[in-house]
Amino acid sequence: MTTNTVAGSSHRLAPPSVADVFVHEAARIHRAAAEIWPGGPVCLERHIPSVTGYVHRARVGERTLYAKTSLLDVSLVSLLRGAYGSWRDVLRAQRAYEEQPNGLLQREAAQLRLLTELDGPRVCPLAGLSSGVIFTEPAPGPTLGELLLERPGDTRVLLDRTFAELRRLHRPGAVRRLPTAGVIEERSIPSTFLRKFNGLFGTLYADRLGSERYEAEQRQEVLQLVSRSVSRLRRLRLRLPSADGTSLAYGDLKPDHVVFPDGADGRPVFLDPGLLRASRMVDIAKLASRTVLALAAWRPGAWVARQVLHGLDTFVESQIPVLSGRDRSLWRRNLLVLWLMDTANILTTYLSAPLALPLPPVGVALVDRAVPVFSMVESASADLETGTLLRETWDRTLGGALAVAS
């Protein structure tokens, strides 16, 4: 009797398992599809690995759709690591949360509707929303990330084409298009960094990185690099200017979230909006961060990486506002801080994911590349903190990116 009681108590206190979450969320998708399209057959065809939400390609009647769910609007990694209690705690909190009208996916669906009405930027069509499950139409075609590897000499052209589509959001006054309650500030780079690394929770989080993925010696090397990088970035974050209150950033701008249905010469389509009040610098920083991480993961060789990074460099130079020399340097400095913070955000999420959680292919590759990537972050953050000339720091960071991609 005593053994059973203890075992039951341990189970109640244990964090959610991957099986708990996946079975529950698959059932949610079935129920939501039945609510929107009653009587139609629903088949979940393929799980799409993600560390943030649960995503599945689904066949609903004759339509292929992508279904996405979220528990408590937090990352799967945080949930599975027990940050929100046991599975029973999560379910109880989720029932209360579902009664709120403005959850993350509800806001994402509203943003898709808004962007469709505005006719730009082009986004994947919203197919339906029910019970906190969002369904979107597929957007076939090569992604920006794939095109950068296939046509590295066209990097500047592809980035220009991507940002031309976002021009309506980046203009001053664009924030008036979006209700205050409709922004997704949770996806901003500084907000994510602060949640992950602030205070005691941040220390505990950093101490557990890689606990299931590395041998002791390699893990210690990673932890030291992360600790030094994050400490510097926490100090550098304090010098960032407050968010721009008049323009919008797309928010979740990554190479795999930009699709070219008509090929590289057509207009891109954007996936997973996370519109927030910020300048276009936020979009440039996230795109730069994730492009370099993709190069680090796939290691296409020095020739391809050099062309992509050269195109990225010339694109960034073209995006710097018309400012005085000192202000141009400050703009580039802030961009680099955001870039490095985003790299720390996503890479530490991959490193802290339980082994049982399927990672996206780029995440699997980056777990093995954490030392060179964080060495690049540590070196660049040290330069920023010591006041090294910004152009020199920028060039050295691009050189570090080339090294991890070769």
Side-chain angles (χ1 to χ4, degrees), residues 218-230:
Q218 185 182 12
R219 180 168 179 262
Q220 190 59 36
E221 183 179 13
V222 171
L223 287 177
Q224 289 174 355
L225 286 168
V226 171
S227 177
R228 289 195 295 265
S229 300
V230 167

PDB file of all heavy atoms in Angstrom, residues 218-230:
ATOM      1  N   GLN A 218      32.285  17.355 -22.742  1.00  0.00           N
ATOM      2  CA  GLN A 218      31.750  18.232 -23.786  1.00  0.00           C
ATOM      3  C   GLN A 218      30.675  19.146 -23.214  1.00  0.00           C
ATOM      4  O   GLN A 218      30.603  20.329 -23.557  1.00  0.00           O
ATOM      5  CB  GLN A 218      31.177  17.411 -24.937  1.00  0.00           C
ATOM      6  CG  GLN A 218      30.710  18.259 -26.111  1.00  0.00           C
ATOM      7  CD  GLN A 218      30.102  17.425 -27.229  1.00  0.00           C
ATOM      8  OE1 GLN A 218      29.819  16.240 -27.043  1.00  0.00           O
ATOM      9  NE2 GLN A 218      29.901  18.032 -28.383  1.00  0.00           N
ATOM     10  N   ARG A 219      29.858  18.617 -22.316  1.00  0.00           N
ATOM     11  CA  ARG A 219      28.801  19.429 -21.721  1.00  0.00           C
ATOM     12  C   ARG A 219      29.403  20.578 -20.923  1.00  0.00           C
ATOM     13  O   ARG A 219      28.892  21.710 -20.962  1.00  0.00           O
ATOM     14  CB  ARG A 219      27.920  18.571 -20.822  1.00  0.00           C
ATOM     15  CG  ARG A 219      26.784  19.344 -20.169  1.00  0.00           C
ATOM     16  CD  ARG A 219      25.759  18.431 -19.533  1.00  0.00           C
ATOM     17  NE  ARG A 219      24.727  19.218 -18.921  1.00  0.00           N
ATOM     18  CZ  ARG A 219      24.681  19.524 -17.621  1.00  0.00           C
ATOM     19  NH1 ARG A 219      25.615  19.069 -16.802  1.00  0.00           N
ATOM     20  NH2 ARG A 219      23.707  20.267 -17.134  1.00  0.00           N
ATOM     21  N   GLN A 220      30.476  20.316 -20.201  1.00  0.00           N
ATOM     22  CA  GLN A 220      31.102  21.378 -19.415  1.00  0.00           C
ATOM     23  C   GLN A 220      31.621  22.490 -20.324  1.00  0.00           C
ATOM     24  O   GLN A 220      31.500  23.681 -20.008  1.00  0.00           O
ATOM     25  CB  GLN A 220      32.251  20.802 -18.579  1.00  0.00           C
ATOM     26  CG  GLN A 220      32.813  21.769 -17.557  1.00  0.00           C
ATOM     27  CD  GLN A 220      31.760  22.246 -16.561  1.00  0.00           C
ATOM     28  OE1 GLN A 220      30.868  21.495 -16.163  1.00  0.00           O
ATOM     29  NE2 GLN A 220      31.842  23.509 -16.166  1.00  0.00           N
ATOM     30  N   GLU A 221      32.184  22.125 -21.466  1.00  0.00           N
ATOM     31  CA  GLU A 221      32.671  23.130 -22.413  1.00  0.00           C
ATOM     32  C   GLU A 221      31.519  23.979 -22.935  1.00  0.00           C
ATOM     33  O   GLU A 221      31.619  25.216 -23.015  1.00  0.00           O
ATOM     34  CB  GLU A 221      33.390  22.448 -23.574  1.00  0.00           C
ATOM     35  CG  GLU A 221      34.001  23.427 -24.577  1.00  0.00           C
ATOM     36  CD  GLU A 221      34.731  22.733 -25.696  1.00  0.00           C
ATOM     37  OE1 GLU A 221      34.587  21.498 -25.857  1.00  0.00           O
ATOM     38  OE2 GLU A 221      35.440  23.438 -26.448  1.00  0.00           O
ATOM     39  N   VAL A 222      30.400  23.331 -23.270  1.00  0.00           N
ATOM     40  CA  VAL A 222      29.228  24.064 -23.756  1.00  0.00           C
ATOM     41  C   VAL A 222      28.697  24.995 -22.680  1.00  0.00           C
ATOM     42  O   VAL A 222      28.392  26.172 -22.932  1.00  0.00           O
ATOM     43  CB  VAL A 222      28.133  23.082 -24.226  1.00  0.00           C
ATOM     44  CG1 VAL A 222      26.829  23.833 -24.512  1.00  0.00           C
ATOM     45  CG2 VAL A 222      28.583  22.324 -25.465  1.00  0.00           C
ATOM     46  N   LEU A 223      28.581  24.494 -21.449  1.00  0.00           N
ATOM     47  CA  LEU A 223      28.041  25.308 -20.355  1.00  0.00           C
ATOM     48  C   LEU A 223      28.893  26.548 -20.104  1.00  0.00           C
ATOM     49  O   LEU A 223      28.359  27.631 -19.848  1.00  0.00           O
ATOM     50  CB  LEU A 223      27.940  24.476 -19.073  1.00  0.00           C
ATOM     51  CG  LEU A 223      26.832  23.425 -19.022  1.00  0.00           C
ATOM     52  CD1 LEU A 223      26.905  22.643 -17.722  1.00  0.00           C
ATOM     53  CD2 LEU A 223      25.462  24.069 -19.166  1.00  0.00           C
ATOM     54  N   GLN A 224      30.197  26.407 -20.179  1.00  0.00           N
ATOM     55  CA  GLN A 224      31.069  27.560 -19.960  1.00  0.00           C
ATOM     56  C   GLN A 224      30.869  28.611 -21.050  1.00  0.00           C
ATOM     57  O   GLN A 224      30.804  29.817 -20.774  1.00  0.00           O
ATOM     58  CB  GLN A 224      32.523  27.098 -19.904  1.00  0.00           C
ATOM     59  CG  GLN A 224      32.868  26.328 -18.646  1.00  0.00           C
ATOM     60  CD  GLN A 224      34.287  25.761 -18.679  1.00  0.00           C
ATOM     61  OE1 GLN A 224      34.987  25.869 -19.681  1.00  0.00           O
ATOM     62  NE2 GLN A 224      34.700  25.151 -17.569  1.00  0.00           N
ATOM     63  N   LEU A 225      30.774  28.163 -22.301  1.00  0.00           N
ATOM     64  CA  LEU A 225      30.554  29.098 -23.404  1.00  0.00           C
ATOM     65  C   LEU A 225      29.203  29.789 -23.278  1.00  0.00           C
ATOM     66  O   LEU A 225      29.082  31.003 -23.467  1.00  0.00           O
ATOM     67  CB  LEU A 225      30.639  28.362 -24.736  1.00  0.00           C
ATOM     68  CG  LEU A 225      32.034  27.940 -25.199  1.00  0.00           C
ATOM     69  CD1 LEU A 225      31.933  26.965 -26.365  1.00  0.00           C
ATOM     70  CD2 LEU A 225      32.842  29.166 -25.610  1.00  0.00           C
ATOM     71  N   VAL A 226      28.167  29.016 -22.953  1.00  0.00           N
ATOM     72  CA  VAL A 226      26.831  29.597 -22.793  1.00  0.00           C
ATOM     73  C   VAL A 226      26.821  30.598 -21.649  1.00  0.00           C
ATOM     74  O   VAL A 226      26.282  31.701 -21.762  1.00  0.00           O
ATOM     75  CB  VAL A 226      25.778  28.488 -22.548  1.00  0.00           C
ATOM     76  CG1 VAL A 226      24.437  29.107 -22.164  1.00  0.00           C
ATOM     77  CG2 VAL A 226      25.624  27.616 -23.788  1.00  0.00           C
ATOM     78  N   SER A 227      27.432  30.234 -20.523  1.00  0.00           N
ATOM     79  CA  SER A 227      27.433  31.112 -19.350  1.00  0.00           C
ATOM     80  C   SER A 227      28.099  32.448 -19.661  1.00  0.00           C
ATOM     81  O   SER A 227      27.548  33.518 -19.340  1.00  0.00           O
ATOM     82  CB  SER A 227      28.151  30.418 -18.190  1.00  0.00           C
ATOM     83  OG  SER A 227      28.231  31.273 -17.080  1.00  0.00           O
ATOM     84  N   ARG A 228      29.259  32.407 -20.294  1.00  0.00           N
ATOM     85  CA  ARG A 228      29.959  33.659 -20.602  1.00  0.00           C
ATOM     86  C   ARG A 228      29.172  34.485 -21.619  1.00  0.00           C
ATOM     87  O   ARG A 228      29.057  35.712 -21.494  1.00  0.00           O
ATOM     88  CB  ARG A 228      31.361  33.354 -21.128  1.00  0.00           C
ATOM     89  CG  ARG A 228      32.310  32.817 -20.060  1.00  0.00           C
ATOM     90  CD  ARG A 228      33.756  32.873 -20.514  1.00  0.00           C
ATOM     91  NE  ARG A 228      34.018  31.993 -21.635  1.00  0.00           N
ATOM     92  CZ  ARG A 228      34.491  30.745 -21.528  1.00  0.00           C
ATOM     93  NH1 ARG A 228      34.708  30.232 -20.329  1.00  0.00           N
ATOM     94  NH2 ARG A 228      34.745  30.025 -22.603  1.00  0.00           N
ATOM     95  N   SER A 229      28.634  33.818 -22.646  1.00  0.00           N
ATOM     96  CA  SER A 229      27.894  34.535 -23.689  1.00  0.00           C
ATOM     97  C   SER A 229      26.637  35.185 -23.124  1.00  0.00           C
ATOM     98  O   SER A 229      26.358  36.362 -23.375  1.00  0.00           O
ATOM     99  CB  SER A 229      27.507  33.574 -24.822  1.00  0.00           C
ATOM    100  OG  SER A 229      28.644  32.993 -25.427  1.00  0.00           O
ATOM    101  N   VAL A 230      25.874  34.417 -22.354  1.00  0.00           N
ATOM    102  CA  VAL A 230      24.612  34.928 -21.817  1.00  0.00           C
ATOM    103  C   VAL A 230      24.866  36.056 -20.825  1.00  0.00           C
ATOM    104  O   VAL A 230      24.130  37.057 -20.802  1.00  0.00           O
ATOM    105  CB  VAL A 230      23.800  33.784 -21.181  1.00  0.00           C
ATOM    106  CG1 VAL A 230      22.647  34.327 -20.338  1.00  0.00           C
ATOM    107  CG2 VAL A 230      23.263  32.851 -22.260  1.00  0.00           C
TER     108      VAL A 230
END
